[in-house]
Amino acid sequence: MFEKALQGRPKYWLWILFLLGITGAGFLVYLQQLKIGLGITGMSRDVSWGFYISQFTFLVGVAASAVMLVIPYYLHDYKKFSKIVILGEFLAVSAVLMCILFIFVDMGQPMRIFNVLLHPTPNSILFWDSVVLTGYLILNIVIGWTTLEADRKEVPPPQWVKPLIYLSVPWAVSIHTVTAFIYAGLPGRPFWMTAIMAARFLASAFASGPAFLIILALLIRKLTKFDPGKEAIQAIAKIVAYAMYANFFFFLLEVFTALYSNIPGHMASFQYLFAGLDGHGKLVPLMWLSVILAIFALAMLVFPSVRANETTLAITCVAVFISLWIDKGFGLVIGGFVPNPFERVTEYWPTLPETVISVAVWAFGFLVLTMLYKVAVSVREAQGPGESLH
Amino acid sequence: MSMDRREFLKLAGLTCIGIGVGGAQLLVRSRIASSEYAPAAEGLQANRWAMVIDLRKFRTEEDYDKLIKACHYIHNVPSFPDKYHEVKWLWKEDFEHSFPEQKNRYLPEGIEKKPVLLLCNHCSNAPCVRVCPTKATFKLSNGITAQDYHRCIGCRFCMAACPYGARSFNWVDPRPYIKEVNPEFPTRTPGVVEKCNFCVERLSEGLRPACVEASEGKILFGDLRDEGSEVRRYLAENFSMRRKPELGTEPAVFYIIGGGEEHV
Ligand code: SF4
Ligand code: SF4
């Protein structure tokens, strides 16, 4: 089945080459980072995690969101999702791969990565995160590939995948919960130490991931002969709407607790992110852009007619995605480090090499995504319209 | 290149075996982890090392800088001109920012700006130890939080977890930035975390920590569990403070602030 990824029109190959080029450029810069050290990034003693770990955090959410297609289809027998569940699963695969790469490029001593397995430390959340992420990656590759293979042969998928599919549901929740626990259990970082962190992570994941899926589904319809289905897209749009509202609500809960309690430590990071602190405010414009995009998206999502129109829906989904990317792929991690434990402000901004490496990891993820989607779409195109058999 | 079901089952089988082996390892190893590591049998011994810093006795900048210099020389701590790459084991910070939760505008004059000597607190419930995924930072049974530079993967989880900003990362090669190398102590590679080690290497030789020695009585060092120890007697007689005690980390560094004396 994989050979399908190797057959395509010139445009397909051009796109692949483009992604390979960026990945290659990033790899060269990464070699530089290996030689010099993480000093080529904008991170510091005070802001010791930056863009890499933020991207990782954001992408765990994108990966987890596959479950929003799996639940309706496999648990509630919502037939309209039969042909696109695979898009969610393959998106999860490429997102987890990006997560793993982002952790890898963030490590000071990447050659020692197996120390995490050689000296397993159950009291470290990072240990558990590596366990659940690897598990989730394997689950989605196995499930996605097997069901697609079955579809291609027009037979029902084998019985043994069913339990794996059911397992993948709580597993998806676990990856984002464990990722939230990396932050939420640290004393002395009041911005992160909030019980609602995991819930908020899931809400924002279930908005950003499905929003991205809608954009991808619309693109697929445009570029190939496979139509993911209008109704399926509309159903996902509803999921985005609910999740986005839940996420915004959770965010307001955080703001209330921090501001009404009036505890300086709890207010400080919010002040830094949205108003600036001690004359430092590099992130302020970005954070407000995120808020404005979120409000815009929320306003659009309430109207069924806006969702029904695929052009406005696409615009809304882009707004959702960018807004949540800024919120979680930037503000959340940096905000937790500012101010530092001495209530002093050290600012962070990614450097050029750091940006190139990050973009390259994204490009690699898109490369995997493109090839996997190519396989899925080829199978679907051969199948013609109608529901699949599982 | 098409992968059929059989191949998949094979893959899945291998994965299961992998997880099984890993799981067994995990159970065995985690039991080792829960037992504490014993320090060297020779040299100075204690059940719980602790430090008392009497800030009343620090009068000039030199009183502080001398100790920092001693510590940083002995441990090959590099001095970077770039604040972003800074590595420090022992340093000074004004009272206001060392104890940010003690906001009080009406303190005796000079206290707010008075420098405080800061270092790793060797917490009893150290968050850095809790989060480290490789046990590269770990507790010795005498209370010291130790660091293994050869095991550390440089994930910097411990830096996010330490509520005291006590940890530094080697963002670039530190060696060119060490003014004078002490051959007795290892230099570090890029990509690992480091911090004060309570001079564990000196204790095993029967010597007190470098800063304690250089302080000429301004810093006391001893066994917190021994009622008769100098630190215990001193703590019983003088009002002391610890940084962020509300976090439950149980710091082992105590500060005696004092009041209206002359300040630096
Ligand atoms: S002060 Fe920080 S580095 Fe030192 S033991 Fe406590 S948590 Fe760990
Ligand atoms: S940076 Fe090193 S010491 Fe710190 S948590 Fe990671 S592996 Fe452990």
Side-chain angles (χ1 to χ4, degrees), chain B residues 234-255:
Chain B
Y234 212 73
L235 289 174
E237 284 161 14
N238 298 279
F239 177 77
S240 62
M241 278 165 73
R242 291 185 293 175
R243 294 169 65 203
K244 305 187 184 178
E246 71 279 9
L247 300 180
T249 53
E250 293 290 335
V253 176
F254 296 78
Y255 293 93

Side-chain angles (χ1 to χ4, degrees), chain B residues 132-134 136-137 147 152-158 167 193:
Chain B
C132 176
T134 62
T137 182
Q147 178 81 14
C152 173
I153 59 172
C155 65
R156 311 190 295 296
F157 200 2
C158 53
R167 300 185 149 257
V193 166

Side-chain angles (χ1 to χ4, degrees), chain A residues 133-327:
Chain A
L133 278 177
T134 321
Y136 193 64
L137 178 65
I138 295 170
L139 273 178
N140 276 287
I141 296 180
V142 172
I143 295 169
W145 201 268
T146 319
T147 50
L148 191 67
E149 181 92 64
D151 276 353
R152 187 172 72 115
K153 296 185 180 144
E154 300 189 11
V155 294
Q159 278 305 314
W160 56 265
V161 275
K162 267 282 151 76
L164 292 186
I165 291 169
Y166 295 140
L167 179 63
S168 78
V169 173
W171 207 289
V173 178
S174 83
I175 61 168
H176 221 19
T177 306
V178 173
T179 306
F181 285 176
I182 289 181
Y183 300 100
L186 302 181
R189 303 275 177 199
F191 185 61
W192 294 336
M193 216 181 58
T194 152
I196 211 170
M197 179 77 90
R200 204 182 134 204
F201 266 27
L202 285 167
S204 88
F206 295 159
S208 58
F212 191 51
L213 261 180
I214 292 179
I215 301 168
L216 290 172
L218 292 174
L219 273 175
I220 285 177
R221 180 156 68 201
K222 224 177 169 170
L223 299 172
T224 74
K225 287 195 270 318
F226 166 48
D227 180 6
K230 191 165 167 73
E231 269 176 84
I233 291 177
Q234 285 305 312
I236 306 177
K238 239 177 254 162
I239 295 171
V240 175
Y242 278 108
M244 192 64 187
Y245 269 91
N247 180 51
F248 201 66
F249 175 61
F250 291 164
F251 172 70
L252 292 179
L253 297 184
E254 301 260 37
V255 174
F256 170 79
T257 306
L259 297 190
Y260 193 79
S261 69
N262 197 44
I263 301 175
H266 287 261
M267 293 192 292
S269 295
F270 283 98
Q271 270 164 355
Y272 171 67
L273 289 176
F274 292 99
L277 196 62
D278 301 343
H280 301 279
K282 261 189 197 160
L283 259 48
V284 174
L286 259 187
M287 294 314 289
W288 280 106
L289 177 64
S290 167
V291 171
I292 290 165
L293 286 173
I295 292 173
F296 165 77
L298 289 168
M300 299 283 272
L301 284 167
V302 254
F303 299 109
S305 57
V306 175
R307 289 205 306 266
N309 176 330
E310 283 182 352
T311 315
T312 43
L313 177 63
I315 296 172
T316 309
C317 286
V318 171
V320 166
F321 191 78
I322 297 178
S323 164
L324 296 179
W325 178 80
I326 296 172
D327 176 42

Side-chain angles (χ1 to χ4, degrees), chain B residues 129-250:
Chain B
V129 172
R130 192 153 62 221
V131 302
C132 176
T134 62
K135 305 189 194 79
T137 182
F138 57 99
K139 288 304 282 186
L140 293 171
S141 57
N142 59 13
I144 292 179
T145 305
Q147 178 81 14
D148 181 341
Y149 312 121
H150 300 282
R151 186 182 283 194
C152 173
I153 59 172
C155 65
R156 311 190 295 296
F157 200 2
C158 53
M159 295 178 78
C162 172
Y164 304 101
R167 300 185 149 257
S168 306
F169 182 71
N170 287 284
W171 297 100
V172 293
D173 188 2
R175 282 159 195 152
Y177 298 91
I178 303 171
K179 281 185 209 113
E180 192 186 339
V181 176
N182 169 19
E184 309 274 296
F185 199 79
T187 56
R188 271 74 69 193
T189 51
V192 298
V193 166
E194 61 181 76
K195 65 164 192 70
C196 153
N197 65 352
F198 255 15
C199 282
V200 69
E201 79 285 0
R202 288 172 58 92
L203 294 175
S204 69
E205 286 170 7
L207 299 167
R208 289 177 309 156
C211 61
V212 178
E213 208 174 82
S215 77
E216 292 158 5
K218 299 182 191 68
I219 303 180
L220 304 179
F221 192 73
D223 191 347
L224 204 56
R225 298 249 174 88
D226 172 6
E227 260 177 73
S229 71
E230 200 186 3
V231 285
R232 278 293 291 274
R233 268 184 289 129
Y234 212 73
L235 289 174
E237 284 161 14
N238 298 279
F239 177 77
S240 62
M241 278 165 73
R242 291 185 293 175
R243 294 169 65 203
K244 305 187 184 178
E246 71 279 9
L247 300 180
T249 53
E250 293 290 335

Side-chain angles (χ1 to χ4, degrees), chain B residues 47-220:
Chain B
N47 287 313
R48 180 56 171 118
W49 286 118
M51 186 177 268
V52 181
I53 301 180
D54 191 346
L55 288 169
R56 293 172 302 192
K57 296 183 177 159
F58 286 80
R59 301 201 165 259
T60 63
E61 290 289 342
E62 183 53 23
D63 286 347
Y64 298 86
D65 295 343
K66 206 168 60 183
L67 317 194
I68 298 173
K69 223 180 267 163
C71 166
H72 284 193
Y73 163 69
I74 285 194
H75 297 113
N76 289 322
V77 177
S79 39
F80 285 102
D82 182 352
K83 182 174 169 276
Y84 273 57
H85 294 167
E86 199 174 35
V87 175
K88 47 191 184 187
W89 286 28
L90 181 67
W91 71 101
K92 46 187 182 176
E93 170 66 273
D94 58 30
F95 177 83
E96 209 185 349
H97 291 95
S98 301
F99 293 87
E101 52 296 305
Q102 295 291 333
K103 285 208 172 45
N104 181 351
R105 252 189 287 164
Y106 308 105
L107 289 172
E109 210 193 305
I111 291 254
E112 270 191 317
K113 295 290 170 222
K114 182 176 172 74
V116 176
L117 259 190
L118 299 183
L119 68 159
C120 166
N121 286 293
H122 297 272
C123 313
S124 299
N125 305 315
C128 58
V129 172
R130 192 153 62 221
V131 302
C132 176
T134 62
K135 305 189 194 79
T137 182
F138 57 99
K139 288 304 282 186
L140 293 171
S141 57
N142 59 13
I144 292 179
T145 305
Q147 178 81 14
D148 181 341
Y149 312 121
H150 300 282
R151 186 182 283 194
C152 173
I153 59 172
C155 65
R156 311 190 295 296
F157 200 2
C158 53
M159 295 178 78
C162 172
Y164 304 101
R167 300 185 149 257
S168 306
F169 182 71
N170 287 284
W171 297 100
V172 293
D173 188 2
R175 282 159 195 152
Y177 298 91
I178 303 171
K179 281 185 209 113
E180 192 186 339
V181 176
N182 169 19
E184 309 274 296
F185 199 79
T187 56
R188 271 74 69 193
T189 51
V192 298
V193 166
E194 61 181 76
K195 65 164 192 70
C196 153
N197 65 352
F198 255 15
C199 282
V200 69
E201 79 285 0
R202 288 172 58 92
L203 294 175
S204 69
E205 286 170 7
L207 299 167
R208 289 177 309 156
C211 61
V212 178
E213 208 174 82
S215 77
E216 292 158 5
K218 299 182 191 68
I219 303 180
L220 304 179

